[in-house]
Amino acid sequence: MRVQVAIIGAGPSGLLLGALLHQSGIDTIVIEQRSPDYVLSRIRAGVLEQGTVNLMDRIGLGKRMHAEGLVHGGFNLGYRNTRHRIDINKLTGGKNVMVYGQTEVTHDLMDARAAAGAKTVYEAENVQLHDFDGASPRVTYTKDGVQHEVQCDFIAGCDGYHGASRAAVPAGSIRQHERVYPFGWLGVLSDTPPVAHELIYSNHERGFALCSMRSKTRSRYYIQCSLDDKVERWSDQAFWDELRLRLDPEAAESMVTGPSIEKSIAPLRSFVAEPMRFGKLFLAGDAAHIVPPTGAKGLNLAASDVHYLSHGLIEYYQDKSPAGINAYSDRSLRRVWKAVRFSWWFTSLMHRFPPHEHDRGEIGQKIQEAEIDYLLGSTAASTALAENYVGLPLEV
Ligand code: FAS
Ligand code: PHB
């Protein structure tokens, strides 16, 4: 088989890229190692920047998102048992975020790709990349015991942090930067009404907590946990009791609890691979970078990578110009590093660090408290928070 672009991974990056290229008549195949149900079972992001909303609109997938998504003009910081609202709409001159789960985004993208009759292979095994630094890039995989080969002009590695794409790049050709945080997030999804109509990020002496949502009847909650914590140690009741202890009295009092329909622990790391292009292979999304979910940037960075990569590939095929694909890595990394900085800053501001943690110690905790005090009293500091939270402007 031959296509113009072979896309590895059917997460948001791969499916969004496939939709944008298909819309411009570029022939693609998406090759995914898991089943559609498995991909959809992973509970991940919840907040979309305007740029991500715009991409969904551009490919004609805005209908359900606008009907079911929740537009938020602010969020709350919980600190010293008090809730402080960050009015992102006012501070950014009218910008908002959209609360619409990654699961729904992925579902819409999967349905659209199937309806368009575009090629997608699920449960592909032993996916391998070949000759992407030469003249004849190709991808091989096994499906139902049969070996397949896809010849292509380009390969888009959209297969996440543990995927085959970045791993296929020779060690000498790639630089990798990483910071692992000394805690994780224990997340619970429940069919209970959210505790507040906007998100609450809580800095508490017992640890960070986040009250988010998927709809007006489905909530998503997180509490900071230790790196060696295990989901099995947390009954639903233990989770609800701990979460309440980390929230302001009004939230703790009004919280509606119920059985968890998903419960998992996610590690937190900052990671960036440079560059994001290797000959005919482009990395996009989590395959190239990971941010701690505190700033709600992971999914949105995947969308901005895809915005730049699709723009470059469409320009290559339609205008016969390599300018866009040649600029892709630098253009994406400029935005990636700003999001990495913001996610690191917000994570450092809102979590409790072990006293021995690198430069933290007791003075680190005092500096964190001083920064929150300053932030909550400064329009300039709150504006900086707000404009990073809604998403920095996309070039092009
Ligand atoms: P993904 O990892 O979503 O998709 C990659 C796809 O490639 C997967 O379907 C995988 O099965 C497939 N794949 C992997 N290896 C393959 C191979 N060898 N061959 C073929 N296919 C292969 N972001 C937020 O903004 N907010 C959050 O709250 C948040 N929570 C998260 C919680 C967890 C546990 C994780 C892991 C991430 C979270 N993220 C969050 C970030 C997340 O939303 C990612 O940014 C987003 O999924 C990125 O999308 P993709 O780049 O498509 O990668
Ligand atoms: C979520 O709803 O899963 C979510 C929302 C905001 C974040 C992180 C996660 O910053």
Side-chain angles (χ1 to χ4, degrees):
M1 173 193 292
R2 162 167 267 284
V3 297
Q4 289 169 299
V5 182
I7 300 170
I8 304 178
S13 299
L15 291 171
L16 204 45
L17 179 63
L20 287 161
L21 296 182
H22 184 81
Q23 189 180 51
S24 292
I26 296 169
D27 186 25
T28 63
I29 185 170
V30 171
I31 303 166
E32 163 63 47
Q33 68 174 3
R34 299 288 189 172
S35 69
D37 288 347
Y38 184 95
V39 174
L40 291 169
S41 68
R42 293 184 303 227
I43 305 302
R44 293 218 177 137
V47 172
L48 306 184
E49 295 174 359
Q50 188 58 49
T52 307
V53 170
N54 295 346
L55 278 182
M56 291 292 280
D57 282 334
R58 201 169 111 198
I59 54 180
L61 290 183
K63 188 164 180 281
R64 190 163 81 98
M65 176 182 65
H66 290 292
E68 298 177 16
L70 303 171
V71 176
H72 281 197
F75 63 87
N76 301 279
L77 294 183
Y79 183 56
R80 291 185 174 156
N81 284 329
T82 307
R83 216 181 296 178
H84 306 265
R85 184 168 188 265
I86 302 294
D87 186 341
I88 56 177
N89 182 274
K90 183 179 167 199
L91 291 165
T92 62
K95 293 182 180 174
N96 301 305
V97 291
M98 167 81 81
V99 172
Y100 189 65
Q102 175 172 326
T103 304
E104 308 319 315
V105 170
T106 308
H107 211 299
D108 294 341
L109 288 164
M110 280 180 176
D111 289 352
R113 187 164 181 87
K119 294 184 286 294
T120 310
V121 177
Y122 287 99
E123 297 178 288
E125 297 174 78
N126 192 26
V127 176
Q128 293 189 13
L129 294 77
H130 308 274
D131 199 25
F132 51 82
D133 52 357
S136 317
R138 62 192 192 284
V139 177
T140 57
Y141 64 90
T142 306
K143 171 76 176 170
D144 302 331
V146 177
Q147 174 86 347
H148 296 264
E149 177 174 284
V150 178
Q151 296 169 358
C152 50
D153 300 332
F154 299 106
I155 303 172
C158 300
D159 47 353
Y161 181 72
H162 300 289
S165 298
R166 192 180 72 250
V169 176
S173 304
I174 191 167
R175 295 180 305 282
Q176 304 191 82
H177 313 271
E178 184 164 60
R179 168 170 293 179
V180 178
Y181 296 85
F183 38 72
W185 279 17
L186 168 60
V188 158
L189 193 67
S190 60
D191 279 331
T192 54
V195 70
H197 73 278
E198 291 177 328
L199 275 59
I200 303 173
Y201 293 80
S202 179
N203 173 306
H204 191 277
E205 62 188 4
R206 296 177 67 89
F208 170 78
L210 171 58
C211 302
S212 183
M213 62 196 77
R214 291 293 179 268
S215 69
K216 291 182 176 167
T217 58
R218 177 166 284 192
S219 297
R220 178 67 168 166
Y221 293 110
Y222 299 94
I223 57 173
Q224 174 183 344
C225 63
S226 66
L227 272 181
D228 59 3
D229 217 334
K230 301 277 184 266
V231 178
E232 304 73 50
R233 291 183 193 153
W234 287 89
S235 67
D236 286 359
Q237 193 54 53
F239 178 85
W240 295 123
D241 292 346
E242 183 58 36
L243 177 61
R244 278 202 175 94
L245 291 172
R246 300 188 186 188
L247 298 177
D248 62 85
E250 182 196 347
E253 175 63 32
S254 62
M255 174 167 291
V256 176
T257 65
S260 60
I261 53 179
E262 193 270 354
K263 195 188 297 179
S264 56
I265 290 180
L268 271 61
R269 75 177 78 240
S270 299
F271 171 83
V272 180
E274 293 183 312
M276 289 171 59
R277 177 195 187 175
F278 307 89
K280 305 289 178 58
L281 167 63
F282 299 93
L283 300 180
D286 277 17
H289 42 72
I290 296 281
V291 287
T294 322
K297 291 297 158 223
L299 172 56
N300 294 297
L301 269 186
S304 54
D305 289 350
V306 165
H307 167 77
Y308 294 133
L309 182 53
S310 61
H311 189 270
L313 288 168
I314 292 165
E315 183 184 67
Y316 174 85
Y317 283 110
Q318 291 184 353
D319 307 340
K320 306 293 179 244
S321 162
I325 56 175
N326 292 342
Y328 166 69
S329 180
D330 288 346
R331 189 175 272 167
S332 274
L333 283 168
R334 261 200 304 281
R335 197 168 193 278
V336 163
W337 276 112
K338 288 174 188 164
V340 166
R341 182 214 62 85
F342 170 68
S343 304
W344 161 81
W345 170 80
F346 202 22
T347 300
S348 304
L349 188 74
M350 299 304 288
H351 290 73
R352 289 288 150 144
F353 286 72
H356 65 272
E357 182 60 27
H358 48 86
D359 63 348
R360 303 292 303 199
E362 191 179 327
I363 189 170
Q365 185 54 41
K366 299 300 281 183
I367 290 170
Q368 182 193 80
E369 289 163 12
E371 178 148 23
I372 294 181
D373 281 341
Y374 165 64
L375 171 67
L376 296 177
S378 162
T379 302
S382 300
T383 301
L385 167 53
E387 65 179 18
N388 278 280
Y389 191 83
V390 298
L392 298 178
L394 278 168
E395 293 173 31
V396 258

